[in-house]
């Protein structure tokens, strides 16, 4: 079954709120990796940074998101 459009919009808004705790660069890299499906080598080329920098940004992003897990859970609770 397809989600109604308003549910998709609400989900996108929650994801945007979750990603807002990351820096702009981290958001870009996380989006390219998890949403756009690019590999780390591709991201490095697109961003003009090293593979290691991409790997570090993803790792740091995961740590930040994990650290803010409770705050993020609240964003995904529906009323």
């Amino acid at each position: 079954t397809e989600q109604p459009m308003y549910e998709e919009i609400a989900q996108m808004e929650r994801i945007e709120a979750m990603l807002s705790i990351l820096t702009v660069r981290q958001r870009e890299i996380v989006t390219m990796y998890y949403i756009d499906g690019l590999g780390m080598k591709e991201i490095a080329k697109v961003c003009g940074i090293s593979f290691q920098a991409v790997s570090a940004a993803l790792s740091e992003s995961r740590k930040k998101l994990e650290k803010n897990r409770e705050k993020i859970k609240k964003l995904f609770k529906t009323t």
Side-chain angles (χ1 to χ4, degrees), residues 24-69:
V24 172
R25 174 64 80 168
Q26 289 170 332
R27 263 195 312 273
E28 291 172 344
I29 292 171
V30 166
T31 299
M32 285 188 266
Y33 187 76
Y34 289 106
I35 297 173
D36 299 333
L38 296 179
M40 289 195 286
K41 287 181 184 178
E42 293 172 294
I43 295 169
K45 187 175 180 180
V46 168
C47 294
I49 59 176
S50 70
F51 178 88
Q52 292 81 7
V54 173
S55 179
L58 286 171
S59 178
E60 187 62 32
S61 297
R62 289 183 199 110
K63 287 176 187 173
K64 253 188 201 180
L65 293 169
E66 180 64 31
K67 183 179 175 185
N68 290 281
R69 180 192 295 243

Side-chain angles (χ1 to χ4, degrees), residues 3 7 10-11 14 72-79:
Q3 285 183 326
E7 287 181 15
Q11 183 176 8
R14 289 190 297 267
I72 292 166
K73 276 184 179 179
K74 289 177 185 175
L75 292 173
F76 284 91
K77 284 188 178 178
T78 56
T79 54

